[in-house]
Amino acid sequence: MTRMVTVLFALLLAGSAAAAPAIHLQGGWARAMPPVTKTTAGYVTVMNHGDADDVLLGARVDGIRVVEIHEMVRDGDMLRMQRRESVAVPAGGSVQLAPGGLHLMLIDAQQPLAAGGRLEGVLRFRDAGEVKVTLDLRAQ
Amino acid sequence: MSEPAKPRRTLRNAGLALLAVVAVSITYWMTLPPAPPVAAGAVPPPAAGSLPVVSGLGGDFSLPSTTGTDLALADLRGKVVLLNFGFTHCPDICPLVLTRMGAALRELEAQGADMARVQSVFVTFDPERDTLDHLREYVAYFHPSIIGLRGDATQTADLARQYKVIYLKQDAGSASGYVFQHSDFIYVIDTVGRVRLLVGSKDPEAAIVEAVKRLLRDSQKDHSDQLAAEKK
């Protein structure tokens, strides 16, 4: 009986330890824009150090009315913007949100997007839940 | 017996150490960047040879501009023109291209290029949302010398056709409203109004700098070529 409880307990422990995504965000930034422009793009590298896949589902950024995930897709000489509902972040892998590819589209900024500023928010993941993100506003 | 062996071992160790130092030095020397071809402080000259004329696109135009009056390409004769198309609600590619354009202009300034003979022009294909006032503030942010052009729908479509710019209004299902899918070239135009190079958004900023320098250098030859062509 004691042995059975021990085994069960060990299994439970193993179960909770396994299959956990561990999301780390690195190098978050957003492109600074002139005061007339209320829309910009945010970029960040999403790393999953865990041993289970996770999925980026969305984001929320303070002072930005709407945040969407978009991807620039190249068709020959043509660039097309595509809205993404989710982005898979494989276990042990990483996904780069970077210029010319995936980005957070920050729509209707209620605050200046001047260089040197900083935006705070969260990225929402299917399993890891909300992970804090900081986007430094840079003119680049 | 072991006593005399010591100095020999020391000598051998010293030899190995020397070898290691030499090896490291060679490796270091091999990783050094090549020496600049010109004396420090001098402006690097543009590459030899001239850029071919890009045929089948380009030509004159005249559109309302952020300067307050219409701007025609013919008004910019004698200047190297960097022409680019986009829209100010564009979050990713347009500001990226304009940022590179601004950086290239600053690099040319730093290299001592004659900036009175260089003009950057940004044309919006979103006259519906981009007023001239809006456009003026937007382009100035990337470089104070950039001029914005805003035609009506027909003028914009005509100019795009002339330069083979592709743009398509697209509903991306975004809260930002419609966007455009579009091509993203910077057209490098010589001092007599001919397109000489298309720079893509993946090309290095140095490609713009180099092209402008070559066209500034070749402006006299281009001018006489053009005169000869007009006489024919």
Side-chain angles (χ1 to χ4, degrees):
Chain A
M1 182 64 194
T2 321
R3 190 184 291 166
M4 212 165 103
V5 168
T6 313
V7 167
L8 266 176
F9 191 65
L11 274 174
L12 263 175
L13 263 181
S16 62
I23 298 292
H24 294 274
L25 305 178
Q26 199 177 52
W29 68 283
R31 186 174 287 107
M33 284 287 193
V36 282
T37 304
K38 306 293 177 204
T39 301
T40 192
Y43 309 101
V44 67
T45 299
V46 181
M47 292 175 293
N48 184 354
H49 293 311
D51 48 15
D53 298 346
D54 207 343
V55 179
L56 172 63
L57 294 174
R60 196 177 67 232
V61 175
D62 297 342
I64 307 289
R65 196 173 57 81
V66 183
V67 182
E68 295 172 357
I69 307 168
H70 285 209
E71 184 172 20
M72 296 305 301
V73 182
R74 190 173 277 276
D75 283 335
D77 287 339
M78 184 91 120
L79 287 154
R80 188 163 43 85
M81 196 165 86
Q82 200 169 294
R83 190 166 171 194
R84 294 279 300 262
E85 293 304 329
S86 63
V87 175
V89 189
S94 70
V95 171
Q96 258 201 324
L97 277 68
L102 282 165
H103 58 267
L104 300 171
M105 177 131 166
L106 311 179
I107 301 161
D108 202 1
Q110 316 283 314
Q111 63 182 75
L113 297 170
R118 173 172 280 191
L119 300 170
E120 303 281 355
V122 292
L123 298 191
R124 207 174 66 252
F125 293 87
R126 184 192 63 196
D127 300 321
E130 293 194 338
V131 179
K132 276 192 180 175
V133 67
T134 300
L135 305 170
D136 292 321
L137 283 157
R138 297 209 301 254
Q140 99 177 40
Chain B
M1 198 50 203
S2 63
E3 281 301 308
K6 245 184 186 171
R8 216 178 295 156
R9 198 180 299 151
T10 315
L11 200 69
R12 195 182 59 189
N13 286 349
L16 280 175
L18 188 69
L19 253 177
V21 167
V22 169
V24 167
S25 308
I26 289 173
T27 315
Y28 176 67
W29 170 76
M30 281 166 69
T31 56
L32 281 179
V38 286
V43 176
S50 56
L51 291 166
V53 175
V54 179
S55 57
L57 54 83
D60 201 14
F61 54 79
S62 181
L63 289 184
S65 83
T66 52
T67 62
T69 56
D70 284 13
L71 181 82
L73 182 60
D75 299 337
L76 301 175
R77 243 184 195 227
K79 297 186 183 197
V80 175
V81 177
L82 298 170
L83 180 69
N84 166 238
F85 298 75
F87 63 112
T88 72
H89 282 66
C90 172
D92 190 42
I93 289 296
C94 310
L96 184 70
V97 174
L98 280 170
T99 299
R100 293 173 69 244
M101 191 130 100
L105 292 172
R106 275 179 270 272
E107 176 60 23
L108 283 161
E109 275 162 15
Q111 292 193 16
D114 182 0
M115 297 312 285
R117 293 170 60 218
V118 181
Q119 182 61 59
S120 275
V121 178
F122 177 82
V123 185
T124 177
F125 33 56
D126 191 12
E128 207 178 316
R129 290 183 297 193
D130 292 343
T131 63
L132 278 175
D133 284 339
H134 186 116
L135 200 55
R136 186 178 301 112
E137 207 179 317
Y138 181 77
V139 294
Y141 175 77
F142 297 97
H143 195 276
S145 74
I146 303 176
I147 295 176
L149 297 187
R150 173 188 177 266
D152 61 25
T154 314
Q155 285 172 314
T156 309
D158 287 347
L159 180 54
R161 200 171 307 121
Q162 227 178 308
Y163 280 80
K164 295 203 159 74
V165 175
I166 323 162
Y167 71 104
L168 268 177
K169 206 172 179 173
Q170 176 201 354
D171 178 10
S174 163
S176 69
Y178 62 88
V179 292
F180 288 90
Q181 41 181 309
H182 59 97
S183 52
D184 61 343
F185 292 113
I186 294 176
Y187 296 76
V188 186
I189 301 172
D190 67 17
T191 52
V192 292
R194 301 173 302 181
V195 176
R196 300 292 287 271
L197 187 68
L198 272 62
V199 181
S201 62
K202 299 247 181 215
D203 292 324
E205 170 196 312
I208 309 170
V209 173
E210 183 63 25
V212 171
K213 282 161 65 181
R214 286 169 84 171
L215 293 179
L216 285 174
R217 179 200 62 190
D218 296 346
S219 65
Q220 247 170 352
K221 184 186 172 297
D222 288 340
H223 186 65
S224 33
D225 284 356
Q226 185 71 2
L227 281 181
E230 279 167 9
K231 265 187 202 154
K232 271 183 196 168

PDB file of all heavy atoms in Angstrom, chain A residues 46-60:
ATOM      1  N   VAL A  46      10.682  34.817 -29.208  1.00  0.00           N
ATOM      2  CA  VAL A  46       9.976  33.956 -28.252  1.00  0.00           C
ATOM      3  C   VAL A  46      10.706  32.626 -28.192  1.00  0.00           C
ATOM      4  O   VAL A  46      10.824  31.931 -29.199  1.00  0.00           O
ATOM      5  CB  VAL A  46       8.513  33.714 -28.691  1.00  0.00           C
ATOM      6  CG1 VAL A  46       7.788  32.844 -27.678  1.00  0.00           C
ATOM      7  CG2 VAL A  46       7.788  35.035 -28.904  1.00  0.00           C
ATOM      8  N   MET A  47      11.231  32.295 -27.002  1.00  0.00           N
ATOM      9  CA  MET A  47      11.959  31.031 -26.846  1.00  0.00           C
ATOM     10  C   MET A  47      11.172  30.106 -25.929  1.00  0.00           C
ATOM     11  O   MET A  47      10.653  30.545 -24.908  1.00  0.00           O
ATOM     12  CB  MET A  47      13.334  31.296 -26.265  1.00  0.00           C
ATOM     13  CG  MET A  47      14.235  32.047 -27.232  1.00  0.00           C
ATOM     14  SD  MET A  47      15.814  32.495 -26.488  1.00  0.00           S
ATOM     15  CE  MET A  47      15.275  33.674 -25.277  1.00  0.00           C
ATOM     16  N   ASN A  48      11.104  28.860 -26.316  1.00  0.00           N
ATOM     17  CA  ASN A  48      10.433  27.868 -25.491  1.00  0.00           C
ATOM     18  C   ASN A  48      11.481  26.894 -24.964  1.00  0.00           C
ATOM     19  O   ASN A  48      11.905  25.973 -25.662  1.00  0.00           O
ATOM     20  CB  ASN A  48       9.371  27.133 -26.321  1.00  0.00           C
ATOM     21  CG  ASN A  48       8.563  26.148 -25.491  1.00  0.00           C
ATOM     22  OD1 ASN A  48       8.866  25.931 -24.322  1.00  0.00           O
ATOM     23  ND2 ASN A  48       7.558  25.557 -26.105  1.00  0.00           N
ATOM     24  N   HIS A  49      11.928  27.112 -23.718  1.00  0.00           N
ATOM     25  CA  HIS A  49      12.948  26.252 -23.124  1.00  0.00           C
ATOM     26  C   HIS A  49      12.340  24.998 -22.505  1.00  0.00           C
ATOM     27  O   HIS A  49      13.058  24.170 -21.956  1.00  0.00           O
ATOM     28  CB  HIS A  49      13.738  27.027 -22.057  1.00  0.00           C
ATOM     29  CG  HIS A  49      14.579  28.127 -22.632  1.00  0.00           C
ATOM     30  ND1 HIS A  49      15.413  27.927 -23.700  1.00  0.00           N
ATOM     31  CD2 HIS A  49      14.699  29.443 -22.301  1.00  0.00           C
ATOM     32  CE1 HIS A  49      16.032  29.063 -23.993  1.00  0.00           C
ATOM     33  NE2 HIS A  49      15.596  30.002 -23.181  1.00  0.00           N
ATOM     34  N   GLY A  50      11.039  24.889 -22.580  1.00  0.00           N
ATOM     35  CA  GLY A  50      10.373  23.735 -21.977  1.00  0.00           C
ATOM     36  C   GLY A  50      10.385  22.533 -22.901  1.00  0.00           C
ATOM     37  O   GLY A  50      10.975  22.553 -23.976  1.00  0.00           O
ATOM     38  N   ASP A  51       9.708  21.474 -22.468  1.00  0.00           N
ATOM     39  CA  ASP A  51       9.692  20.262 -23.287  1.00  0.00           C
ATOM     40  C   ASP A  51       8.301  19.964 -23.850  1.00  0.00           C
ATOM     41  O   ASP A  51       7.978  18.828 -24.169  1.00  0.00           O
ATOM     42  CB  ASP A  51      10.238  19.065 -22.490  1.00  0.00           C
ATOM     43  CG  ASP A  51       9.606  18.963 -21.113  1.00  0.00           C
ATOM     44  OD1 ASP A  51       8.574  19.633 -20.896  1.00  0.00           O
ATOM     45  OD2 ASP A  51      10.129  18.222 -20.262  1.00  0.00           O
ATOM     46  N   ALA A  52       7.477  21.017 -23.925  1.00  0.00           N
ATOM     47  CA  ALA A  52       6.188  20.849 -24.592  1.00  0.00           C
ATOM     48  C   ALA A  52       5.949  22.036 -25.522  1.00  0.00           C
ATOM     49  O   ALA A  52       6.368  23.154 -25.233  1.00  0.00           O
ATOM     50  CB  ALA A  52       5.075  20.778 -23.549  1.00  0.00           C
ATOM     51  N   ASP A  53       5.316  21.756 -26.631  1.00  0.00           N
ATOM     52  CA  ASP A  53       4.986  22.831 -27.579  1.00  0.00           C
ATOM     53  C   ASP A  53       4.026  23.810 -26.920  1.00  0.00           C
ATOM     54  O   ASP A  53       3.256  23.444 -26.039  1.00  0.00           O
ATOM     55  CB  ASP A  53       4.299  22.246 -28.821  1.00  0.00           C
ATOM     56  CG  ASP A  53       5.210  21.293 -29.569  1.00  0.00           C
ATOM     57  OD1 ASP A  53       6.428  21.293 -29.290  1.00  0.00           O
ATOM     58  OD2 ASP A  53       4.693  20.543 -30.425  1.00  0.00           O
ATOM     59  N   ASP A  54       4.078  25.050 -27.371  1.00  0.00           N
ATOM     60  CA  ASP A  54       3.100  26.021 -26.916  1.00  0.00           C
ATOM     61  C   ASP A  54       2.658  26.837 -28.133  1.00  0.00           C
ATOM     62  O   ASP A  54       3.205  26.685 -29.229  1.00  0.00           O
ATOM     63  CB  ASP A  54       3.688  26.927 -25.816  1.00  0.00           C
ATOM     64  CG  ASP A  54       2.590  27.468 -24.887  1.00  0.00           C
ATOM     65  OD1 ASP A  54       1.405  27.413 -25.278  1.00  0.00           O
ATOM     66  OD2 ASP A  54       2.921  27.944 -23.796  1.00  0.00           O
ATOM     67  N   VAL A  55       1.659  27.668 -27.909  1.00  0.00           N
ATOM     68  CA  VAL A  55       1.122  28.444 -29.029  1.00  0.00           C
ATOM     69  C   VAL A  55       0.899  29.885 -28.572  1.00  0.00           C
ATOM     70  O   VAL A  55       0.260  30.117 -27.540  1.00  0.00           O
ATOM     71  CB  VAL A  55      -0.220  27.840 -29.521  1.00  0.00           C
ATOM     72  CG1 VAL A  55      -0.781  28.669 -30.672  1.00  0.00           C
ATOM     73  CG2 VAL A  55      -0.042  26.392 -29.946  1.00  0.00           C
ATOM     74  N   LEU A  56       1.439  30.832 -29.328  1.00  0.00           N
ATOM     75  CA  LEU A  56       1.183  32.249 -29.067  1.00  0.00           C
ATOM     76  C   LEU A  56      -0.197  32.581 -29.630  1.00  0.00           C
ATOM     77  O   LEU A  56      -0.474  32.334 -30.801  1.00  0.00           O
ATOM     78  CB  LEU A  56       2.260  33.111 -29.736  1.00  0.00           C
ATOM     79  CG  LEU A  56       2.037  34.626 -29.723  1.00  0.00           C
ATOM     80  CD1 LEU A  56       2.025  35.179 -28.302  1.00  0.00           C
ATOM     81  CD2 LEU A  56       3.109  35.334 -30.549  1.00  0.00           C
ATOM     82  N   LEU A  57      -1.052  33.104 -28.776  1.00  0.00           N
ATOM     83  CA  LEU A  57      -2.444  33.344 -29.199  1.00  0.00           C
ATOM     84  C   LEU A  57      -2.772  34.819 -29.385  1.00  0.00           C
ATOM     85  O   LEU A  57      -3.736  35.165 -30.066  1.00  0.00           O
ATOM     86  CB  LEU A  57      -3.404  32.755 -28.158  1.00  0.00           C
ATOM     87  CG  LEU A  57      -3.385  31.226 -28.013  1.00  0.00           C
ATOM     88  CD1 LEU A  57      -4.266  30.801 -26.853  1.00  0.00           C
ATOM     89  CD2 LEU A  57      -3.822  30.556 -29.311  1.00  0.00           C
ATOM     90  N   GLY A  58      -2.006  35.679 -28.744  1.00  0.00           N
ATOM     91  CA  GLY A  58      -2.320  37.096 -28.860  1.00  0.00           C
ATOM     92  C   GLY A  58      -1.480  37.909 -27.900  1.00  0.00           C
ATOM     93  O   GLY A  58      -0.572  37.376 -27.255  1.00  0.00           O
ATOM     94  N   ALA A  59      -1.807  39.195 -27.833  1.00  0.00           N
ATOM     95  CA  ALA A  59      -1.039  40.078 -26.963  1.00  0.00           C
ATOM     96  C   ALA A  59      -1.889  41.258 -26.541  1.00  0.00           C
ATOM     97  O   ALA A  59      -2.924  41.568 -27.161  1.00  0.00           O
ATOM     98  CB  ALA A  59       0.215  40.562 -27.684  1.00  0.00           C
ATOM     99  N   ARG A  60      -1.429  41.895 -25.487  1.00  0.00           N
ATOM    100  CA  ARG A  60      -2.081  43.097 -24.994  1.00  0.00           C
ATOM    101  C   ARG A  60      -0.956  44.054 -24.613  1.00  0.00           C
ATOM    102  O   ARG A  60       0.031  43.644 -23.990  1.00  0.00           O
ATOM    103  CB  ARG A  60      -2.884  42.711 -23.745  1.00  0.00           C
ATOM    104  CG  ARG A  60      -3.923  43.697 -23.294  1.00  0.00           C
ATOM    105  CD  ARG A  60      -4.696  43.152 -22.098  1.00  0.00           C
ATOM    106  NE  ARG A  60      -3.851  43.034 -20.925  1.00  0.00           N
ATOM    107  CZ  ARG A  60      -3.719  41.937 -20.195  1.00  0.00           C
ATOM    108  NH1 ARG A  60      -4.381  40.850 -20.511  1.00  0.00           N
ATOM    109  NH2 ARG A  60      -2.934  41.909 -19.134  1.00  0.00           N
TER     110      ARG A  60
END
